[in-house]
Amino acid sequence: MTFLIYTNEEIFSTFVLNIYRLIYRMKKKELVLLCAILSMYSCSTPQKISYFQDLQQIESKDYSVDMNSANYEVKILPSDLLSIIVTGKDPAAVAMFNLPVTSSTINPGETELSTTPVLQSYLVDVNGDIDFPTLGRIKVAGLSRRGISDLLKDKISKYAKDPIVNVQLLNFKVSVLGEVNNPGTKGTSNERMTIMDAISLSGDLSIYGNRENVLLVRENNGKKEFHRFNLTSTDIFKSPYFYLKQNDVIYVQPNQAKQNSSRIDSAKQFNLSVASTVTAAISVIASLCIALFLK
């Protein structure tokens, strides 16, 4: 028994030649029908890729969504890192409410101390408290930056006139995983990050990302919350989860095409090659049909 081994190129050439002979014997009506079918197939565009697809259905040129973003404020959580700086008209009066802003170090080979300015910070403990100079332990978990500032102003006013308290959250971050071009931990200095900001910082979704089922995992009062976004709809802007909180996790799951391709092992690579060959052949056939039809 003799076995014949063909390469993909030989298979493709034989396949195209046989199709060409078949097309050549077709009548004009049959050829027109085949051209129409192939054109519909070859001109179809990938679906479920674009964001906010429902905007195309809105006839009005002016479109707005009430996001109620004015009420959005990040609440402080345990393990957050805060910068709190107190100033006022009398610097000496408020000095005892600030952490030291310098650290002393000895460089190798030197005997003199050198001071390097560093930003002192407060770590919120597991109970939601910080240890504040002079005032002692203060509970800040659950408060916004503005709430902490107002609380400290009220307490410091007993010792200094018209204090100014500046509070900043230093470790605001979210994690983006899955089918994005640049996964990882993303931070911001303004603590106002949306789901779209996080995706942008991650280099956008890959072509294999499922835009209709993006998962958000959030920890709230010791419990895990799960919410799913549909990036193809403008309803995302109305979601109460549109603005992210510190330590949120975003997971972009692979679409069906990626899931199917991941199940293809080495024994099935030939089938994938044949599928690619057939797809290329369809494009060639469409070109031949158009060329013969124009004659």
Side-chain angles (χ1 to χ4, degrees):
M1 181 178 294
T2 302
F3 293 93
L4 298 178
I5 301 176
Y6 296 95
T7 64
N8 286 343
E9 291 77 9
E10 292 172 337
I11 295 174
F12 177 73
S13 300
T14 304
F15 179 74
V16 172
L17 180 60
N18 290 334
I19 295 298
Y20 181 82
R21 290 172 179 171
L22 177 63
I23 294 174
Y24 188 78
R25 296 189 184 99
M26 282 184 176
K27 297 179 181 180
K28 187 174 182 179
K29 291 182 179 181
E30 296 173 340
L31 188 59
V32 171
L33 179 60
L34 180 60
C35 286
I37 295 174
L38 291 176
S39 296
M40 291 175 60
Y41 176 82
S42 61
C43 295
S44 62
T45 57
Q47 300 297 315
K48 301 180 181 180
I49 297 299
S50 301
Y51 298 135
F52 321 130
Q53 295 178 22
D54 53 350
L55 280 177
Q56 301 174 1
Q57 304 173 4
I58 301 174
E59 297 181 358
S60 174
K61 295 182 180 180
D62 298 324
Y63 178 72
S64 62
V65 177
D66 184 9
M67 298 170 57
N68 199 23
S69 60
N71 297 328
Y72 170 78
E73 284 186 312
V74 170
K75 304 298 183 181
I76 302 303
L77 303 173
S79 299
D80 279 346
L81 202 61
L82 302 177
S83 166
I84 303 177
I85 299 176
V86 182
T87 59
K89 295 180 179 180
D90 185 0
V94 298
M96 61 181 176
F97 299 103
N98 287 305
L99 291 174
V101 294
T102 59
S103 62
S104 300
T105 59
I106 301 179
N107 296 325
E110 298 180 0
T111 58
E112 295 183 357
L113 292 175
S114 61
T115 58
T116 304
V118 294
L119 181 63
Q120 299 294 315
S121 57
Y122 300 85
L123 178 65
V124 183
D125 64 21
V126 293
N127 297 318
D129 300 336
I130 60 173
D131 193 0
F132 200 78
T134 305
L135 300 180
R137 303 192 68 79
I138 298 176
K139 181 170 289 296
V140 296
L143 299 177
S144 65
R145 290 193 306 112
R146 183 182 302 177
I148 296 175
S149 178
D150 292 341
L151 175 63
L152 293 177
K153 282 181 182 179
D154 182 63
K155 292 180 177 294
I156 296 173
S157 294
K158 299 176 182 178
Y159 304 89
K161 185 178 180 181
D162 298 328
I164 300 174
V165 182
N166 190 319
V167 181
Q168 295 291 332
L169 176 60
L170 300 179
N171 63 336
F172 186 98
K173 60 182 177 60
V174 299
S175 299
V176 185
L177 309 174
E179 289 297 332
V180 293
N181 292 312
N182 183 25
T185 301
K186 312 300 174 183
T188 180
S189 59
N190 59 15
E191 68 190 52
R192 191 180 179 88
M193 182 184 291
T194 68
I195 178 68
M196 304 308 300
D197 291 331
I199 291 174
S200 177
L201 291 172
S202 303
D204 202 358
L205 273 65
S206 72
I207 193 66
Y208 296 110
N210 187 344
R211 286 151 172 79
E212 295 185 338
N213 197 16
V214 176
L215 176 65
L216 170 68
V217 182
R218 173 176 296 173
E219 184 172 342
N220 191 7
N221 295 326
K223 297 181 179 179
K224 294 292 185 182
E225 294 181 352
F226 301 91
H227 179 75
R228 296 187 182 274
F229 292 103
N230 181 359
L231 301 183
T232 66
S233 172
T234 55
D235 289 340
I236 185 175
F237 296 109
K238 304 174 185 178
S239 171
Y241 294 90
F242 181 71
Y243 286 98
L244 303 179
K245 293 185 177 181
Q246 61 269 46
N247 305 317
D248 280 353
V249 177
I250 300 166
Y251 173 65
V252 181
Q253 71 177 37
N255 57 21
Q256 193 61 44
K258 182 63 177 289
Q259 295 180 39
N260 292 339
S261 65
S262 65
R263 289 193 287 264
I264 299 177
D265 54 22
S266 57
K268 298 179 181 179
Q269 289 299 321
F270 178 76
N271 294 336
L272 182 61
S273 299
V274 170
S276 300
T277 301
V278 171
T279 302
I282 290 175
S283 299
V284 174
I285 294 169
S287 301
L288 291 173
C289 289
I290 296 173
L292 291 175
F293 179 70
L294 295 176
K295 289 183 176 180

